């Protein structure tokens, strides 16, 4: 089955079960400060999982491009990537375990024909707060009993062999992991994972460092591949560290698109599927090296380039900050690997065919006019490659010539500050010489030298949850007020091109050709504060996108909206298509202050705004 057919089959299957399809969200989350990137399909669904009503109803299906840089070290094992597509379906207070598990099982075995003999599942074993998921165990037992093993012609499977129990480290899901890591307010719940068995006799198992250990579903030897995860999201962490029930019991299902495709091809290496192999082909051509000779480096390059193409397409540029810094690290790591594969010096044009391969893989799905996209993306990547390339050979030579005793934190910092080598790259190069460099040693040097860029470097490959407090909701409403105030003062050409809110501040990017004067900034701030003081009601309505536009709601990300949308109106002052949440009355926001205004590229400005503590503490 082709990748595009598989994706469509998945949509059609769940549409038949009453789900409505929603477009994918952008990789950089809007109005969500919790992570740098959308790293699972549920992230853009957060307001709905917490109880907001979804405009399309209670059954939703989609495919969401995700970036998970936490997995960067695993890239090279044939199945981990930093960029992947997550097939999702959600029940927002509608159906629950019985339907979800049965449907996904039916999809795998019936629609795409996976042999049930090769499917295994895990279920939550229970902890001191939430009991063992007996219901899920029994559902799976029944499901497996009803299936025939086509090859063996056997009627039914022994459930003992198919269903396994794991604790909260493996079978509990929240964005921040196990129950004890969840911040207050975070939703989560026990989950059930599905695995495809590639067999013990593929040779992967023997090669693996885990070969000496007893193999089990969650081990990393490569035999079993996790392909789906149904989260039974019914809990929310409360202030005393325990759990409250969410307003409704939800299903949050996520399936690894690339992995399901690989399983349907009986191919344990996802990089040999059509979702990667054209990129691998381009790398082979550029380097003259065959995939079998160095699959690890080629997988890293293919994955990182794919992630980079999506990020640049969505407006992220290499920089020393936040998402831009992650992009820079991905690209530079790919460049180092490319140089290590290729005998002669690489050039920035080596990466163009790789970009094109990525665009072609997703042509018509995520990229329309390939030539136009390439024109936009390739120069950004080439420029970064070129910038780094100038120091690359010298940096690599220095590593090669330095004796192991001198490879330490100071050395890593020098390579970073002089040659632009990200710490991870130096650590990998040092490992070849038998040195395991500690990040702390590098950061100690860093701290001493450059307090400013230290924030850029720390923990960038982690998700890093902030809290989702009342302050964020207030700042979200302030964002709408700011947007409208900007249009009043500067004109209706102003449109939002991005926003990011943390508990400390809101950051708002918009189109405008020139720097704002202090007078304009003050006027905008005054309008926002005066509107807050008017005590306007914040009203939420669900309507079709066409109706929303007709009634003048700001809707700038149309291609990402479903046909029915939620519109938030703030009195008669502002009206926007938005998923919420918001305060109910503007007075709740308190006063705000604009703290900074800057340029973020041609024709784009950025404003920072904070909540101002009022003397009476309100
Ligand atoms: N949120 C779960 C995951 O990311 C299922 O969608 O695995």
């Amino acid at each position: 089955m082709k990748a595009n057919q598989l994706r469509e089959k998945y949509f059609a299957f769940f549409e038949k079960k009453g789900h409505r399809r929603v477009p994918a969200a952008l990789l950089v989350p809007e109005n969500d400060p919790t992570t740098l990137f959308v790293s699972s399909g549920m992230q853009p669904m957060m307001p709905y999982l917490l109880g907001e009503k979804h405009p399309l109803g209670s059954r939703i299906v989609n495919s969401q491009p995700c970036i998970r840089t936490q997995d960067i070290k695993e890239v090279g094992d044939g199945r981990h990537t930093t960029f992947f597509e997550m097939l999702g379906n959600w029940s927002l207070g509608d159906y629950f375990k019985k339907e979800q598990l049965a449907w996904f099982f039916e999809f795998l075995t019936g629609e795409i024909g996976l042999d049930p003999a090769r499917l295994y599942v895990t279920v939550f074993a229970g902890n001191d707060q939430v009991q063992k998921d007996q219901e899920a165990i029994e559902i799976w037992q029944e499901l497996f009993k009803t299936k025939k093993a086509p090859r063996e012609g056997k009627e039914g499977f022994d459930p003992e062999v198919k269903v396994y129990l794991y604790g909260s480290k493996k079978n509990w899901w929240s964005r921040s992991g196990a129950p004890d890591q969840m911040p207050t307010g975070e939703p989560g719940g026990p989950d059930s994972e599905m695995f495809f068995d590639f067999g013990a006799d593929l040779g992967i198992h023997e090669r693996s460092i885990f070969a000496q250990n007893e193999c089990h579903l969650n081990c990393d030897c490569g035999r079993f591949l996790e392909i789906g995860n149904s989260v039974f999201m019914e809990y929310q962490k409360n202030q005393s560290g325990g759990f409250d029930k969410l307003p409704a019991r939800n299903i949050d299902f996520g399936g690894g698109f690339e992995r399901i495709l690989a399983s349907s091809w009986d191919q344990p290496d996802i990089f040999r599927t059509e979702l990667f192999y054209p990129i691998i082909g381009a790398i082979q051509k550029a380097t003259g090296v065959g995939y079998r000779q160095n699959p690890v480096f080629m997988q890293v390059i293919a994955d990182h380039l794919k992630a980079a193409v999506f990020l640049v397409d969505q407006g992220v540029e290499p920089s020393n900050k936040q998402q831009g810094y992650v992009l820079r690290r991905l690209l530079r790591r790919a460049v180092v690997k490319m140089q290590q594969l290729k005998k002669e010096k690489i050039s920035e044009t080596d990466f163009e065919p790789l970009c094109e391969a990525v665009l072609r893989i997703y042509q018509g799905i995520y990229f329309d006019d390939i030539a136009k996209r390439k024109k936009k993306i390739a120069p950004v990547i080439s420029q970064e490659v070129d910038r780094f390339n100038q120091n690359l050979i010298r940096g690599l030579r220095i590593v090669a010539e330095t004796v192991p005793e001198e490879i330490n934190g100071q050395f890593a910092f020098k390579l970073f500050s002089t040659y632009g080598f990200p710490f991870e790259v130096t650590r990998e190069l040092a490992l070849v010489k038998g040195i395991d460099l500690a990040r702390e040693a590098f950061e100690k040097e860093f701290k001493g030298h450059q307090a400013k860029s230290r924030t850029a470097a720390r923990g960038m490959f982690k998700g890093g949850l902030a809290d989702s407090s009342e302050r964020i909701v207030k700042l979200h409403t302030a964002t709408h007020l700011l947007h409208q105030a900007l249009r009043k003062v500067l004109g209706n050409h102003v449109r939002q091109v991005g926003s990011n809110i943390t508990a400390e501040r809101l950051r708002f990017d918009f189109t405008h050709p020139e720097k704002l004067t202090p007078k304009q900034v003050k006027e905008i701030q005054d309008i926002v504060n005066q509107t807050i003081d008017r005590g306007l009601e914040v009203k939420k309505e669900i309507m079709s996108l066409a109706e929303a536009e007709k009634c003048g709601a700001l809707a700038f990300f149309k291609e990402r909206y479903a046909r029915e949308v939620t519109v938030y109106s703030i009195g008669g002052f502002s009206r926007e298509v938005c998923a919420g949440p918001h305060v109910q009355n503007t007075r709740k926001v308190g006063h705000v202050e604009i703290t900074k205004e800057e340029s973020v590229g041609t024709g784009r400005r950025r404003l920072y705004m904070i909540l101002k503590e009022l003397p009476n503490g309100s």
Side-chain angles (χ1 to χ4, degrees):
M1 189 184 305
K2 292 276 193 196
N4 289 351
Q5 285 169 320
L6 174 63
R7 201 189 285 103
E8 274 309 313
K9 241 181 198 297
Y10 175 78
F11 290 147
F13 179 83
F14 279 95
E15 279 171 343
K16 260 192 265 145
K17 309 282 183 207
H19 293 65
R20 305 277 302 274
R21 202 191 290 200
V22 294
L26 288 181
L27 285 165
V28 176
E30 291 165 61
N31 300 329
D32 178 356
T34 56
T35 52
L36 287 181
F37 299 108
V38 167
S39 61
S40 62
M42 63 77 80
Q43 218 170 301
M45 301 288 161
M46 272 295 275
Y48 312 111
L49 291 165
L50 292 173
E52 289 272 321
K53 203 166 149 24
H54 196 288
L56 292 187
S58 55
R59 298 182 182 198
I60 305 297
V61 62
N62 86 352
S63 183
Q64 176 62 49
C66 298
I67 296 231
R68 262 191 204 177
T69 44
Q70 299 92 302
D71 289 340
I72 194 161
K73 277 201 237 142
E74 264 77 46
V75 181
D77 67 359
R79 60 230 179 93
H80 278 93
T81 50
T82 60
F83 173 92
F84 63 97
E85 238 178 297
M86 190 179 272
L87 299 178
N89 62 77
W90 290 271
S91 158
L92 303 167
D94 191 326
Y95 61 84
F96 208 45
K97 297 179 195 184
K98 198 156 170 261
E99 294 84 352
Q100 164 61 30
L101 297 181
W103 288 342
F104 189 58
F105 194 57
E106 185 188 334
F107 175 73
L108 291 179
T109 55
E111 293 289 312
I112 59 170
L114 296 190
D115 180 352
R118 299 176 67 179
L119 292 173
Y120 293 84
V121 299
T122 63
V123 174
F124 183 51
N127 62 12
D128 49 5
Q129 285 171 308
V130 177
Q131 62 193 23
K132 177 165 95 176
D133 195 347
Q134 189 58 32
E135 191 189 349
I137 296 173
E138 285 168 21
I139 295 168
W140 280 123
Q141 287 175 338
E142 283 309 307
L143 286 170
F144 275 110
K145 267 193 220 156
T146 61
K147 282 284 167 193
K148 265 194 197 153
R151 287 210 198 121
E152 296 136 48
K154 259 199 321 204
E155 192 69 55
F157 292 93
D158 179 358
E160 294 285 313
V161 180
K162 289 295 189 184
V163 186
Y164 295 84
L165 297 182
Y166 286 86
S168 357
K169 272 207 183 120
K170 293 286 181 196
N171 276 88
W172 179 278
W173 203 91
S174 78
R175 290 181 304 170
S176 40
D180 54 339
Q181 321 232 313
M182 291 165 65
T184 305
E186 185 67 10
D191 65 8
S192 178
E193 297 182 334
M194 301 99 210
F195 294 80
F196 185 76
D197 181 7
F198 284 103
D201 52 355
L202 290 175
I204 304 167
H205 195 215
E206 285 72 21
R207 279 207 311 272
S208 146
I209 51 161
F210 293 91
Q212 306 310 318
N213 301 334
E214 202 186 324
C215 180
H216 62 104
L217 289 185
N218 269 309
C219 87
D220 286 328
C221 74
R223 173 175 172 176
F224 297 102
L225 184 65
E226 186 201 329
I227 54 175
N229 180 15
S230 292
V231 183
F232 311 122
M233 195 163 273
E234 54 177 328
Y235 299 101
Q236 187 170 27
K237 191 82 175 265
N238 63 29
Q239 282 187 332
S240 43
F243 285 100
D244 295 332
K245 290 264 176 141
L246 282 168
R249 300 190 308 180
N250 305 305
I251 290 287
D252 159 31
F253 170 81
F257 178 54
E258 296 80 356
R259 291 175 170 201
I260 296 174
L261 181 73
S263 304
S264 77
W265 289 22
D266 201 358
Q267 169 54 267
D269 180 356
I270 64 167
F271 288 84
R272 285 190 179 273
T273 69
E274 64 182 297
L275 293 173
F276 288 97
Y277 215 67
I279 321 173
I280 299 283
I283 301 170
Q284 296 186 125
K285 215 163 155 200
T287 58
V289 177
Y291 181 55
R292 275 167 200 265
Q293 288 170 264
N294 201 330
V296 175
F297 280 20
M298 294 217 182
Q299 288 178 22
V300 170
I301 300 168
D303 166 67
H304 290 8
L305 241 291
K306 192 192 270 195
V309 167
F310 272 82
L311 286 172
V312 175
D313 181 60
Q314 295 186 10
V316 179
E317 291 191 7
S319 75
N320 282 336
K321 275 201 216 161
Q322 309 240 343
Q323 287 90 355
Y325 191 55
V326 175
L327 171 60
R328 171 161 283 170
R329 280 154 81 141
L330 290 170
L331 277 174
R332 291 190 175 189
R333 191 161 179 252
V335 171
V336 171
K337 299 274 183 245
M338 192 83 146
Q339 184 59 69
Q340 287 176 306
L341 286 179
K342 195 174 166 175
K343 298 220 167 47
E344 319 88 72
K345 188 167 169 18
I346 59 163
S347 90
E348 75 278 6
T349 49
D350 284 334
F351 288 85
E352 264 180 40
L354 276 68
C355 290
E356 189 160 337
V358 176
L359 292 170
R360 287 202 184 284
I361 291 170
Y362 296 101
Q363 183 164 22
I365 305 294
Y366 296 113
F367 305 115
D368 38 29
D369 186 337
I370 296 289
K372 203 166 130 203
R373 300 275 181 142
K374 192 177 157 197
K375 236 171 145 179
K376 170 181 161 191
I377 299 165
V380 178
I381 293 183
S382 298
Q383 200 186 16
E384 178 64 12
V385 172
D386 187 38
R387 197 179 282 149
F388 182 48
N389 208 5
Q390 291 166 14
N391 287 322
L392 177 64
I393 298 280
R394 287 183 67 196
L396 285 174
R397 196 177 307 133
I398 288 175
V399 180
E401 287 167 0
T402 305
V403 291
E405 300 76 61
E406 284 174 17
I407 297 185
N408 51 25
Q410 207 176 2
F411 175 79
F413 180 71
K414 185 177 161 215
L415 274 180
F416 170 74
S417 55
T418 319
Y419 301 107
F421 275 46
F423 171 73
E424 289 71 20
V425 168
T426 305
R427 183 167 59 192
E428 280 170 30
L429 296 171
L431 268 179
V432 179
K433 297 187 145 212
I435 316 285
D436 193 0
L437 270 178
R439 170 172 278 283
E440 295 73 43
F442 167 75
E443 283 195 348
K444 201 171 144 217
E445 290 297 320
F446 205 123
K447 264 184 210 155
H449 285 81
Q450 210 173 13
K452 188 170 170 277
S453 51
R454 188 178 64 227
T455 50
R458 200 192 306 137
M460 274 306 176
F461 284 121
K462 294 190 193 125
L465 283 173
D467 69 13
S468 53
S469 63
E470 231 181 290
R471 295 175 67 85
I472 286 169
V473 178
K474 288 181 183 178
L475 281 168
H476 189 188
T477 305
T479 307
H480 286 221
L481 297 175
L482 174 64
H483 195 178
Q484 189 54 30
L486 281 164
R487 288 165 67 86
K488 275 192 185 305
V489 174
L490 305 176
N492 280 346
H493 61 278
V494 168
R495 50 170 290 173
Q496 174 178 353
V497 284
S499 88
N500 175 281
I501 306 172
T502 68
E504 285 74 40
R505 54 98 181 114
L506 77 81
R507 195 182 77 199
F508 190 79
D509 295 350
F510 59 99
T511 50
H512 184 62
E514 61 208 17
K515 189 170 169 52
L516 272 61
T517 64
K519 192 167 160 258
Q520 284 171 326
V521 172
K522 180 163 185 317
E523 199 180 338
I524 291 160
Q525 180 177 297
D526 287 349
I527 291 179
V528 174
N529 282 329
Q530 282 153 14
T531 313
I532 288 171
D533 287 344
R534 283 165 64 198
L536 300 177
E537 292 298 319
V538 182
K539 205 173 90 194
K540 174 181 156 186
E541 287 163 288
I542 291 174
M543 56 183 86
S544 71
L545 183 57
E547 276 173 316
E549 289 186 275
K550 218 155 105 196
C551 71
L554 297 183
F556 288 136
F557 303 104
K558 282 186 208 119
E559 64 287 0
R560 299 201 311 279
Y561 297 143
R563 276 209 293 273
E564 274 128 90
V565 292
T566 314
V567 173
Y568 276 90
S569 313
I570 306 180
F573 181 76
S574 132
R575 187 172 265 180
E576 281 197 43
V577 172
C578 168
H582 285 282
V583 299
Q584 285 174 344
N585 186 294
T586 53
R587 275 214 190 88
K588 285 247 175 340
V589 176
H591 275 185
V592 296
E593 185 181 327
I594 295 173
T595 52
K596 194 170 168 190
E597 192 266 350
E598 63 187 8
S599 162
V600 274
T602 321
R604 286 177 180 216
R605 312 294 306 176
R606 173 171 284 178
L607 278 180
Y608 288 87
M609 190 179 237
I610 58 168
L611 294 175
K612 229 167 113 181
E613 300 304 336
L614 295 180
N616 64 7
S618 61

